[in-house]
Structures are given as C-alpha cells and as structure tokens.
Amino acid sequence: MNEKVYDEKAEKLFPAPSPPPTVLCPQRWPGCNLESLTAMRHVLIDNHTRHHIFFNNMKFHNHVTHRALAIYALGGSGLVIEAMYKQDSKTQRPAFVSPHPITTQNFFDHLGDENYFEAYTTFFTKAIEEKGASATLDEFIFSEKYNFQPGRDAKSQPEMLYRFVDGVLHPLIHCGYGVEFGLKGMLAEGLSLAAMHNTHIPGFLPPSMFVAQPNDGIGAVMNSFASLVLDSQSSAMPLKAPSGQDTHALSILARVLKDPSLASKGPLDFARQYPDTLVAHGDRIREHVQKWTVDLSKPGEIERKMEECIWTSSVMYALGGWRNGFTADFFLMHMVTSSVFLPSLVAYLSPRAQVLLLRAYLSTAIAWFVVCGRPSLNFKSFFESTSTVPNPPNSPAVPPVEGIPAQDAQTPNPFLPLVQSSIMHPNDHHPKIQRAFAHFSTIYGARPKGYFAGTELDGAEELDGSLFVRAAVLTADYMGWVREGEEARMWSLKGFHV
C-alpha cells in the first residue's frame, strides 16, 4: 500500500466514516476492518490531492472514490480497494490550482468553469466547517438566492439545484456519499462538482419551486425524518396506501408513457441527448412532474414520497430493460444508483429542502426515461419470466438438504453471491447498483403484490418487493459473472428507441 503521508487538512476531510444517518440509509456489510479502512481513506485522500473531478474535456466524471466507498461498505478487502484504485486512476487527469479563489462576491462568475473546481472545493470546505453540512446544503443548493435572483436574465441565473442533479446526477451522488459516510471532503467535492455543471435549459426547475409554501416549516431537520423510524408505523411496514387526493410517482410515470407528445423520434446524439430532450420536451416533463403531490401536513409524507422515487427509478431500469431478455441501460442504471442516497440527503435537509430535492430528483429521472425512449413496462411478463435466485457459473455443488430444493440450498441468500461477484467486477458501477438493490430489498422487499394497485400505471398491481432481487440477478447475468469465469460486458448506451 502507498505509505505517502498527507497533510493534516486532507486527513481531517476524510476521516474514518461515521455510521449512516438513519436506518433507512444503507448499512455497512460485515468485512470492514482496519485494513479496508486504511485503504479506503488512502484512495479518498490521494484522489483528492492528485486528481481533477473530470477525467476528460467532455466533463466525464472521476468517481474512483465512489467505487472505493461502495466496496468498503460491502465488506471488500483493503487489497481489493487498492487494486481497483490502481485500475481506475490510470485514466484520471491531474489536479491543478484554480486561477484565483472563489468568494461570496465572485461565486456566480465562474459557474460551469472546470478550471475553478479546486477553488469551489476550498470555498465549500470552509462553508461546511463554519456552517455545518445542513446549513451549507440549504443555502447553496436549495435557497432562492442561489437559484434565481432578481435582475439576472434567464441564462445567467445560478440554478444550483439544477446543477446538483445534472450530469446524470453525479453531483447528487458525490454529495450523497459525503453525508452517508460523514465525509466533509466528499461533500465539498460534490458541491464543487455541482458548480462545474451547466444549465441546458433555463428554468427546467422553475422559480416557482423556490417560493415558500404554507407547510414548509413543519418539523425539524433531523427529527422530522428520524422520528418516522421510531413511530409505530416503521419503514418495514406498509405506509398508508395512496388516497384519491394523492398522486403517486408511478402515476406520473404512467402519464409520461401515455403522452404522445413525448414519443421517441429515434436515437439522439450521445453528447447532446439530455439537453436536446430538455429543449424539446422540458416544459411537458415539468408539467407532468408538477402534478406529483407532496403534502408535508401528512405524517410520514417525506418517507413515503422518497420511497415512491426509489420504486419509480428501479421500475424504469428493471422493467424498462425487459424485452423477453434484459438490457442493462447505462443511464437508467444511474437513476437507481443515485436514489440510494435520497435517505442520507433527506436526513440532513429542512422540510422545504427535502421537498425540493425529491421534486428535482423525480424531474431528472423522468427526463432520462424520456431520453432513453420511454420503454414500455410489461409487469406480467417480467414477474413471470425472471428469477429471484442467481445461478452463477461454475458454482460448486452443495450436499442436498432434506426439504430444501437444490437451487435454494445452493443459494440460500441470493444477495451474497451477487455482492461477492460485483465487488470483483471490472466495471465500477456494478457494485454500486448491487449495493442499492440489496439495500432496497432490505427495507422494501416485503412489499406485497397489490401494494401499488392504486396507482395509474398499467400492470403495477403485479409489482412486489421481489423486484430488487430480480433486477440484481438480471444485472449480474447481463454484465457477466467475471469472478466466476465469464467475460465482462458493458452497459448498453443505445436506449430503447422504436
């Protein structure tokens, strides 16, 4: 292992991780030890010191720390973390000092300019030290001041929340790691990454979102969310089913699927597909998502609406990719891997900011679903044809156990072989999505068939908690069981255009 000694400031930015903020956040798997902790911290500190946040001039993201933290959380060894870092760091660009510092006076002047990543990171590091994570997020991502200002034209508005969910949600993901693991350095980098992104269509997340609502002040920052877990209705039990006054996120997805104005006209230019979709359909997508109801006067509303977002993203990826066979889409995969951070982010936000986060997230996820061609969702075929038990190649035979089918005896816990294989997969996104599905199965896996019958989405009455293990098995089969001897495959970039 590299024994380089880093300065004290960098060491403090990336300490040993803290426990997850709430029980709704992913918990750490067995296997974490001093060796893996040391390796993981080395990756985070070394990357922070040596590498830029983009590994090319097209603003493709450096997320080597994402893999390191995912492997660490899944119980991977220090040697594996170091080996994967060596592989991932080969393509990174060197870090460099910005032309001059960022201050509150010139904050808006260099948004979107990657030359100022170091300066914005320093700025946000200081803000987090002085204000704390909650206040920093609330001010610089969710406040009206840092999104829309009187006197600025539409193209020069800061729109920090839009930037936060741009780039296939990578700023949100990076900040999500920061708050989930208690790492100020990751949070500062993630906020700086948001500042590096551009706004493709002014007002996709409109100024009206930031106008104070009557119920914005209900609850407290941490207690309003943590108390949901301690109440008699915990996350393990079904929350109140949607009523006639509620509009479910799956109902928004149903309306998007049926809207002829959003029909695909064929594959789009790879680099321009998201901004071009927003230019063509942003107003219509926004109209649909604005009809999604979030009522803070209802107990448990944030938890329920967060769950809706998680199910919606997993449905888009898993059922969207199912055509009598499965295609693992690169962009819809990111909707899943980003949604796993919603519980950690929500735990740090005021009620007003919680609503803004969830609305921005769902708007972005729906937009990417349209980018990918709005694939049809065949629930009946999916649940009749997919397996809840993985079948890795070259698995050693196990002795028969009376009363237990051979397949179940071979894999009594389906997620153990899935996670083991993902840790060693050459593609860095594979362990992230399997970590997400394992967590979702833990907290939502007991949802019964019929739980979503009250939504407008055709076939959703077939949906149950087995979705997550089915999606995980399909993903492993598609990407290749490399640890078990198969060839590696890559995510599909083609979409689902007719």
Side-chain angles (χ1 to χ4, degrees), residues 453-465:
T455 72
E456 298 173 21
L457 186 59
D458 292 339
E461 65 276 4
E462 300 288 333
L463 182 60
D464 65 25

Side-chain angles (χ1 to χ4, degrees), residues 84-256:
M84 293 303 183
Y85 179 52
K86 185 176 180 180
Q87 171 186 310
D88 293 342
S89 61
K90 291 177 181 178
T91 57
Q92 303 305 319
R93 295 163 62 198
F96 55 86
V97 177
S98 301
H100 55 74
I102 292 296
T103 66
T104 53
Q105 287 70 41
N106 69 359
F107 183 93
F108 304 113
D109 297 345
H110 302 288
L111 293 174
D113 187 345
E114 66 177 79
N115 292 311
Y116 285 86
F117 174 71
E118 178 269 337
Y120 277 103
T121 302
T122 300
F123 175 87
F124 284 120
T125 299
K126 182 179 179 183
I128 294 166
E129 290 288 349
E130 293 177 351
K131 305 169 185 283
S134 296
T136 300
L137 284 162
D138 196 70
E139 178 177 0
F140 292 103
I141 299 297
F142 298 101
S143 72
E144 186 174 13
K145 174 183 177 181
Y146 282 88
N147 283 278
F148 294 97
Q149 292 191 328
R152 287 182 175 269
D153 61 35
K155 292 184 178 180
S156 66
Q157 293 290 356
E159 294 206 51
M160 283 296 291
L161 181 55
Y162 177 96
R163 299 173 198 270
F164 188 68
V165 294
D166 190 41
V168 204
L169 291 152
H170 276 97
L172 180 154
I173 292 171
H174 209 97
C175 289
Y177 277 109
V179 293
E180 180 188 330
F181 290 86
L183 301 169
K184 294 178 181 178
M186 287 293 292
L187 180 57
E189 288 177 356
L191 292 168
S192 181
L193 175 57
M196 297 300 95
H197 280 273
N198 299 308
T199 51
H200 302 298
I201 173 173
F204 176 61
L205 303 177
S208 58
M209 284 181 63
F210 300 90
V211 176
Q213 300 297 320
N215 292 326
D216 279 351
I218 293 177
V221 177
M222 288 293 287
N223 291 338
S224 64
F225 187 64
S227 65
L228 298 174
V229 181
L230 301 176
D231 285 344
S232 58
Q233 256 192 342
S234 73
S235 175
M237 298 299 292
L239 297 173
K240 181 182 177 183
S243 69
Q245 291 73 43
D246 290 317
T247 300
H248 198 283
L250 290 177
S251 295
I252 301 300
L253 182 61
R255 297 173 191 180
V256 167

